[in-house]
Amino acid sequence: MITLPLEQRLEILADSAKYDVSCSSSGSSRAGKAGTVGSTASSGICHTWTADGRCISLLKILLTNACIYDCAYCLNRRSNDISRAAFTSDEVADLTMNFYRRNYIEGLFLSTGVIRSANYTMEQLIAVARRLREVERFNGYIHLKLVPGADPLLIAQAGRYADRVSINIELPSRQSLALLAPDKPRESVINPMRQVSGLIVEAKEARTKSRRAPRFAPAGQSTQLIVGATPESDRDIITLTEGLYSKLELKRVYYSAYIPGSNDSRLPALPTPPLLREHRLYQADWLLRFYGFSAHELLDEARPNLDMRFDPKSDWALRHLELFPVEVNRVEYEVLLRVPGIGVRSAQRIVQARRGTRLGEVELKKLGVVLKRAKYFLTAGGRYLGGIRLDGPHLMERMLAPTRRPARLDQLELFAVMPDASALTGEL
Amino acid sequence: MTVFRYDGGFEGFLCAVGDCLEAGEKQPEFVRDGDVYSSGLFAGDIHEVTTVRETALMLRKRFVNAVSQEAFATARYAFHSQKAGIELLVWRYLTLGLQVGRRVCLMLTEEPVHSVNLIARHVSHEAHKYKGFVRFREVETGFLYARIEPEADILAFIAPHFVGRVGDRRWMIHDLQRNQAALYDLKSWRLVKNIELTAEPTLSATEHDYAALWQRYFQRHAIAERHNPKLQQKHVPLRYRKHLPEFEPDNDSL
Ligand code: SF4
């Protein structure tokens, strides 16, 4: 496998890694040190964007795409007839250092197929990270994948070198996992997540007592869910996500629209990947993390799936018209955040500016608040900004009115592929 | 009306503002050295500003005490936009701050605060983008060399970032628009003005290989089923691509 020339192996191993959608280099803030290479920026930095509009921040590759497992949804599954390749740890270190020095990347995101055993594979990943940190004195970002079923001792070791670790849940329910990834019991994924969550808390506490205490994955852990390969509802997904954020304190949950790539009868035959659904899930995820919403407010038994026509906040507001309009000069920040079209940044500016001036429509525009949707839910100085008061059905119609561009394109442009920085500024 | 002629830099500008305050000038005009100043008949007195670092630092201290560190940073970012008339705008912002103090931060919808904030955001956004878009090429001697053509004068905002990042090599980030460069000599960085390269730098033996590997990686990384060049162009407008090796057409010569 190592006999192919480096450039071909890079192609194969980048190809196999690209469906892991996490690209973020955020969450760690470490200044550069004399004599070493590298620093990390807490907001993350994008270095370029590929032809699908996704940001490249890290060199995202697999150590090898050979795998002893046979997960139905995965390109690298044992039974798939594709070319296999592997890097040596020297090669990965060399590519990382040379790409990094040229400022192509923020660091490395290393994942892999499973070879020989979970522990052996995990050891290979750790060896690369150790080499980068200890031999190359690399101080930039490292994201390491945890191998399901790896020994807790190895997982503890991985977090010493990595800024972020992740293990993908992939499928939202136990049944789906058992059906499509029979080699990976749910425990082999959830247990390491629990362990990591505990170690992160411990390391943070230790560091408040002593600056010399070792770090453990200071940028936290993340995971990924495949959307559309199995029958779970959006409610199942968002409820799972909420639990991951609140109980295991994950930094991010990523969603990856299932891209049909196999004739396996256990998998659905989709004409195109469900990109809009993926986008709506990201929006709902945002509402959980930054807008104070909880999962049951967005979805319930009667409405288990997100409305594809509206963003989930507009959808929520349309179902709660009795709470609106609210007075932009008075209403609490938390309520402002619930107004459709008002993002975190706009809400912050409004709160700051209204301490100095009374806000009307002109002032709101000057603050950069986009009123297109928000106006139906606001009064300014007692004046309703939406024109005539509309009842629910009419308002819904108005908000669905075609914009200049076809709706789907609009939504995709909003697609959240920015690093976490945009999470703070991402307007909903 | 007095015309204050300063050296074009931020320190020089602060000194100009200082002189202006001292003279009690209410309607100053600012010109840069080398700008052709031709208001002709109605031209006022010309005052030549001497740049003294201490004077600039003192003004900064005064403003930071009166308003805030953040407001000063805003003024600094806005100034570096180098937009026509920016001096007057920032001068109004600074004097307003000295008059009303912290209240400036609440006057978000009023002038000049609104415009200064807007411009500052634009510049800081561009500086952030360039932290990602700078591309170093390795020159024969191990030196790293990058070219940029930003809209605003952002070198001062990005250089410290690269000091922390590529601290083990000498490097130069060359702003072709302004014929100036940030130069790092393994200890600290400094701004060098009026530079012109007499010859193309000779690249190291492996430079092409890494650039080509990077380009392959970049091309392979796009997912065909999600193809969306419009979104790509929104994030990487064409004008940035000139200096990004991943967008170069002919790198694939391995
Ligand atoms: S273990 Fe990982 S790499 Fe191997 S088939 Fe399953 S998902 Fe793919």
mmCIF file of all heavy atoms in Angstrom, chain A residues 62 65-78 112-114 148 170 181 183-184, ligand 1:
data_model
loop_
_atom_site.group_PDB
_atom_site.id
_atom_site.type_symbol
_atom_site.label_atom_id
_atom_site.label_comp_id
_atom_site.label_asym_id
_atom_site.label_seq_id
_atom_site.Cartn_x
_atom_site.Cartn_y
_atom_site.Cartn_z
ATOM 1 N N LEU A 62 -6.652 10.407 6.078
ATOM 2 C CA LEU A 62 -6.631 9.159 6.828
ATOM 3 C C LEU A 62 -5.197 8.646 6.843
ATOM 4 O O LEU A 62 -4.443 8.847 5.890
ATOM 5 C CB LEU A 62 -7.510 8.105 6.160
ATOM 6 C CG LEU A 62 -8.994 8.388 5.965
ATOM 7 C CD1 LEU A 62 -9.697 7.132 5.481
ATOM 8 C CD2 LEU A 62 -9.637 8.884 7.233
ATOM 9 N N ASN A 65 -6.800 3.915 4.525
ATOM 10 C CA ASN A 65 -8.225 3.690 4.261
ATOM 11 C C ASN A 65 -8.538 2.192 4.220
ATOM 12 O O ASN A 65 -9.634 1.788 3.851
ATOM 13 C CB ASN A 65 -8.681 4.381 2.969
ATOM 14 C CG ASN A 65 -8.018 3.799 1.742
ATOM 15 O OD1 ASN A 65 -7.007 3.103 1.835
ATOM 16 N ND2 ASN A 65 -8.584 4.088 0.580
ATOM 17 N N ALA A 66 -7.564 1.378 4.591
ATOM 18 C CA ALA A 66 -7.860 -0.048 4.740
ATOM 19 C C ALA A 66 -8.644 -0.222 6.029
ATOM 20 O O ALA A 66 -8.395 0.487 7.003
ATOM 21 C CB ALA A 66 -6.560 -0.840 4.816
ATOM 22 N N CYS A 67 -9.600 -1.148 6.034
ATOM 23 C CA CYS A 67 -10.381 -1.319 7.254
ATOM 24 C C CYS A 67 -10.847 -2.759 7.377
ATOM 25 O O CYS A 67 -11.233 -3.376 6.399
ATOM 26 C CB CYS A 67 -11.575 -0.371 7.268
ATOM 27 S SG CYS A 67 -12.379 -0.328 8.881
ATOM 28 N N ILE A 68 -10.791 -3.260 8.619
ATOM 29 C CA ILE A 68 -11.246 -4.634 8.833
ATOM 30 C C ILE A 68 -12.755 -4.685 9.053
ATOM 31 O O ILE A 68 -13.341 -5.746 9.092
ATOM 32 C CB ILE A 68 -10.533 -5.292 10.046
ATOM 33 C CG1 ILE A 68 -10.703 -4.424 11.295
ATOM 34 C CG2 ILE A 68 -9.068 -5.514 9.744
ATOM 35 C CD1 ILE A 68 -10.145 -5.091 12.565
ATOM 36 N N TYR A 69 -13.381 -3.529 9.218
ATOM 37 C CA TYR A 69 -14.814 -3.500 9.466
ATOM 38 C C TYR A 69 -15.567 -3.282 8.166
ATOM 39 O O TYR A 69 -14.997 -2.931 7.134
ATOM 40 C CB TYR A 69 -15.179 -2.414 10.472
ATOM 41 C CG TYR A 69 -14.678 -2.690 11.863
ATOM 42 C CD1 TYR A 69 -14.420 -1.636 12.746
ATOM 43 C CD2 TYR A 69 -14.467 -3.993 12.308
ATOM 44 C CE1 TYR A 69 -13.965 -1.876 14.028
ATOM 45 C CE2 TYR A 69 -14.004 -4.243 13.596
ATOM 46 C CZ TYR A 69 -13.754 -3.183 14.454
ATOM 47 O OH TYR A 69 -13.300 -3.420 15.712
ATOM 48 N N ASP A 70 -16.893 -3.410 8.281
ATOM 49 C CA ASP A 70 -17.696 -3.345 7.072
ATOM 50 C C ASP A 70 -18.970 -2.525 7.301
ATOM 51 O O ASP A 70 -20.079 -2.998 7.094
ATOM 52 C CB ASP A 70 -18.047 -4.777 6.627
ATOM 53 C CG ASP A 70 -18.308 -4.831 5.124
ATOM 54 O OD1 ASP A 70 -17.690 -4.037 4.390
ATOM 55 O OD2 ASP A 70 -19.140 -5.644 4.705
ATOM 56 N N CYS A 71 -18.788 -1.272 7.722
ATOM 57 C CA CYS A 71 -19.948 -0.413 7.984
ATOM 58 C C CYS A 71 -20.587 -0.036 6.645
ATOM 59 O O CYS A 71 -19.914 0.514 5.770
ATOM 60 C CB CYS A 71 -19.523 0.837 8.731
ATOM 61 S SG CYS A 71 -18.538 0.470 10.204
ATOM 62 N N ALA A 72 -21.860 -0.315 6.519
ATOM 63 C CA ALA A 72 -22.526 -0.237 5.220
ATOM 64 C C ALA A 72 -22.440 1.144 4.569
ATOM 65 O O ALA A 72 -22.318 1.267 3.355
ATOM 66 C CB ALA A 72 -23.985 -0.645 5.373
ATOM 67 N N TYR A 73 -22.513 2.206 5.380
ATOM 68 C CA TYR A 73 -22.569 3.564 4.847
ATOM 69 C C TYR A 73 -21.193 4.114 4.475
ATOM 70 O O TYR A 73 -21.059 5.211 3.956
ATOM 71 C CB TYR A 73 -23.207 4.502 5.887
ATOM 72 C CG TYR A 73 -22.559 4.332 7.243
ATOM 73 C CD1 TYR A 73 -21.358 4.963 7.541
ATOM 74 C CD2 TYR A 73 -23.119 3.498 8.202
ATOM 75 C CE1 TYR A 73 -20.735 4.771 8.750
ATOM 76 C CE2 TYR A 73 -22.502 3.303 9.423
ATOM 77 C CZ TYR A 73 -21.319 3.952 9.693
ATOM 78 O OH TYR A 73 -20.687 3.752 10.887
ATOM 79 N N CYS A 74 -20.140 3.374 4.774
ATOM 80 C CA CYS A 74 -18.792 3.951 4.680
ATOM 81 C C CYS A 74 -18.072 3.494 3.418
ATOM 82 O O CYS A 74 -18.051 2.314 3.073
ATOM 83 C CB CYS A 74 -17.974 3.575 5.911
ATOM 84 S SG CYS A 74 -16.275 4.163 5.833
ATOM 85 N N LEU A 75 -17.458 4.483 2.785
ATOM 86 C CA LEU A 75 -16.676 4.249 1.579
ATOM 87 C C LEU A 75 -15.551 3.233 1.807
ATOM 88 O O LEU A 75 -15.166 2.478 0.924
ATOM 89 C CB LEU A 75 -16.060 5.595 1.211
ATOM 90 C CG LEU A 75 -15.539 5.841 -0.177
ATOM 91 C CD1 LEU A 75 -16.706 5.794 -1.155
ATOM 92 C CD2 LEU A 75 -14.863 7.210 -0.229
ATOM 93 N N ASN A 76 -15.009 3.228 2.994
ATOM 94 C CA ASN A 76 -13.821 2.405 3.271
ATOM 95 C C ASN A 76 -14.155 1.006 3.748
ATOM 96 O O ASN A 76 -13.261 0.258 4.138
ATOM 97 C CB ASN A 76 -12.955 3.087 4.335
ATOM 98 C CG ASN A 76 -12.609 4.498 3.942
ATOM 99 O OD1 ASN A 76 -12.332 4.755 2.786
ATOM 100 N ND2 ASN A 76 -12.658 5.416 4.894
ATOM 101 N N ARG A 77 -15.428 0.665 3.751
ATOM 102 C CA ARG A 77 -15.831 -0.655 4.262
ATOM 103 C C ARG A 77 -15.072 -1.757 3.533
ATOM 104 O O ARG A 77 -14.784 -1.636 2.337
ATOM 105 C CB ARG A 77 -17.343 -0.843 4.121
ATOM 106 C CG ARG A 77 -17.827 -0.849 2.684
ATOM 107 C CD ARG A 77 -19.348 -0.883 2.602
ATOM 108 N NE ARG A 77 -19.761 -0.871 1.204
ATOM 109 C CZ ARG A 77 -19.843 0.242 0.458
ATOM 110 N NH1 ARG A 77 -19.549 1.420 0.991
ATOM 111 N NH2 ARG A 77 -20.211 0.169 -0.802
ATOM 112 N N ARG A 78 -14.778 -2.798 4.293
ATOM 113 C CA ARG A 78 -13.966 -3.905 3.798
ATOM 114 C C ARG A 78 -14.434 -4.428 2.441
ATOM 115 O O ARG A 78 -13.654 -4.710 1.542
ATOM 116 C CB ARG A 78 -14.027 -5.016 4.854
ATOM 117 C CG ARG A 78 -13.157 -6.205 4.602
ATOM 118 C CD ARG A 78 -13.414 -7.238 5.708
ATOM 119 N NE ARG A 78 -14.828 -7.629 5.737
ATOM 120 C CZ ARG A 78 -15.532 -7.837 6.855
ATOM 121 N NH1 ARG A 78 -14.972 -7.689 8.027
ATOM 122 N NH2 ARG A 78 -16.801 -8.179 6.793
ATOM 123 N N THR A 112 -8.620 7.447 10.477
ATOM 124 C CA THR A 112 -8.091 6.229 9.874
ATOM 125 C C THR A 112 -9.136 5.118 9.796
ATOM 126 O O THR A 112 -10.123 5.143 10.527
ATOM 127 C CB THR A 112 -6.877 5.702 10.687
ATOM 128 O OG1 THR A 112 -6.322 4.583 10.006
ATOM 129 C CG2 THR A 112 -7.292 5.280 12.084
ATOM 130 N N GLY A 113 -8.903 4.160 8.917
ATOM 131 C CA GLY A 113 -9.640 2.908 8.957
ATOM 132 C C GLY A 113 -9.030 2.039 10.046
ATOM 133 O O GLY A 113 -7.939 2.342 10.547
ATOM 134 N N VAL A 114 -9.704 0.986 10.424
ATOM 135 C CA VAL A 114 -9.200 0.155 11.508
ATOM 136 C C VAL A 114 -8.371 -0.987 10.919
ATOM 137 O O VAL A 114 -8.857 -1.734 10.074
ATOM 138 C CB VAL A 114 -10.360 -0.418 12.349
ATOM 139 C CG1 VAL A 114 -9.821 -1.233 13.520
ATOM 140 C CG2 VAL A 114 -11.244 0.711 12.846
ATOM 141 N N PRO A 148 -13.192 3.446 17.769
ATOM 142 C CA PRO A 148 -14.181 2.774 18.614
ATOM 143 C C PRO A 148 -13.591 1.503 19.193
ATOM 144 O O PRO A 148 -12.978 0.711 18.482
ATOM 145 C CB PRO A 148 -15.321 2.438 17.645
ATOM 146 C CG PRO A 148 -15.164 3.395 16.520
ATOM 147 C CD PRO A 148 -13.706 3.682 16.416
ATOM 148 N N GLU A 170 -22.256 8.513 14.128
ATOM 149 C CA GLU A 170 -22.715 8.175 12.769
ATOM 150 C C GLU A 170 -24.217 7.933 12.666
ATOM 151 O O GLU A 170 -24.893 8.605 11.909
ATOM 152 C CB GLU A 170 -21.967 6.972 12.178
ATOM 153 C CG GLU A 170 -20.455 7.142 12.111
ATOM 154 C CD GLU A 170 -19.956 8.163 11.106
ATOM 155 O OE1 GLU A 170 -20.739 9.022 10.671
ATOM 156 O OE2 GLU A 170 -18.743 8.123 10.765
ATOM 157 N N ALA A 181 -23.759 -1.043 11.101
ATOM 158 C CA ALA A 181 -22.366 -1.124 11.555
ATOM 159 C C ALA A 181 -22.254 -2.205 12.613
ATOM 160 O O ALA A 181 -21.978 -1.926 13.783
ATOM 161 C CB ALA A 181 -21.908 0.224 12.090
ATOM 162 N N ASP A 183 -20.138 -4.226 13.539
ATOM 163 C CA ASP A 183 -18.889 -4.408 14.287
ATOM 164 C C ASP A 183 -18.711 -3.374 15.387
ATOM 165 O O ASP A 183 -17.772 -3.449 16.165
ATOM 166 C CB ASP A 183 -17.680 -4.299 13.344
ATOM 167 C CG ASP A 183 -17.809 -5.226 12.168
ATOM 168 O OD1 ASP A 183 -18.092 -6.412 12.395
ATOM 169 O OD2 ASP A 183 -17.648 -4.763 11.025
ATOM 170 N N LYS A 184 -19.575 -2.347 15.379
ATOM 171 C CA LYS A 184 -19.369 -1.264 16.340
ATOM 172 C C LYS A 184 -20.579 -1.123 17.251
ATOM 173 O O LYS A 184 -21.486 -0.360 16.971
ATOM 174 C CB LYS A 184 -19.127 0.060 15.607
ATOM 175 C CG LYS A 184 -17.803 0.115 14.877
ATOM 176 C CD LYS A 184 -17.422 1.522 14.480
ATOM 177 C CE LYS A 184 -18.220 2.089 13.350
ATOM 178 N NZ LYS A 184 -17.613 3.296 12.750
HETATM 179 S S1 SF4 C 1 -14.758 1.329 11.035
HETATM 180 FE FE1 SF4 C 1 -14.695 3.400 10.240
HETATM 181 S S2 SF4 C 1 -13.428 3.274 8.400
HETATM 182 FE FE2 SF4 C 1 -13.986 1.194 8.930
HETATM 183 S S3 SF4 C 1 -15.801 0.805 7.716
HETATM 184 FE FE3 SF4 C 1 -16.548 1.500 9.712
HETATM 185 S S4 SF4 C 1 -16.772 3.737 9.464
HETATM 186 FE FE4 SF4 C 1 -15.528 2.988 7.755
#
